[in-house]
Amino acid sequence: EVQLVESGGGLVQPGGSLRLSCVASGFTFSVYAMQWVRQAPGKGLECVSGISSSGSSTDYTDSVKGRFTVSRDNAKNTLYLHLNSLKTEDTAMYYCAKGSGFRCTDPYFERGQGTQVTVSS
């Protein structure tokens, strides 16, 4: 059974930073691309970032380029998302997802339960 467990969310002021983590189990993490997707209140799901199985290729949606960094540790079956220079519009539930590819245009297979990020002063 695929399990994806996110953590690291919270309340942060505009301009602040967070690091999200996702621990994966139930599949061979090192051979799959992974993605981070988010859902803001009242809006649909949006891919934020993707990373290839080796970590050598990444993709970001335009609104987070230069502010968010995706990485992974295949030895620990863990995916990360570093969020810097946070804006109120980054407020959303963030999910990690097992991807069919690393690009945000690639569909994903499953996603976790999510971790809430709230950016507010």
Side-chain angles (χ1 to χ4, degrees):
E1 177 189 4
V2 171
Q3 287 199 324
L4 299 165
V5 180
E6 303 92 339
S7 63
L11 173 64
V12 63
Q13 292 185 340
S17 299
L18 284 172
R19 187 185 78 163
L20 307 184
S21 300
C22 170
V23 178
S25 61
F27 66 102
T28 307
F29 179 75
S30 61
V31 304
Y32 281 93
M34 297 294 293
Q35 298 175 3
W36 285 99
V37 298
R38 68 184 178 185
Q39 187 166 27
K43 297 190 177 181
L45 285 165
E46 173 192 32
C47 176
V48 174
S49 181
I51 186 168
S52 62
S53 58
S54 67
S56 61
S57 298
T58 58
D59 189 32
Y60 298 92
T61 193
D62 286 346
S63 63
V64 308
K65 283 180 181 176
R67 300 189 299 120
F68 291 8
T69 303
V70 63
S71 62
R72 65 191 295 163
D73 185 337
N74 285 344
K76 296 182 178 179
N77 285 0
T78 303
L79 176 72
Y80 302 100
L81 186 67
H82 296 254
L83 295 74
N84 297 313
S85 302
L86 282 161
K87 304 176 181 180
T88 54
E89 52 263 44
D90 295 317
T91 294
M93 185 71 78
Y94 284 72
Y95 304 90
C96 73
K98 178 187 171 188
S100 64
F102 74 90
R103 292 182 177 84
C104 275
T105 51
D106 295 321
Y108 60 85
F109 301 110
E110 296 104 344
R111 57 182 168 95
Q113 294 300 306
T115 186
Q116 177 68 39
V117 172
T118 302
V119 185
S120 175
S121 56

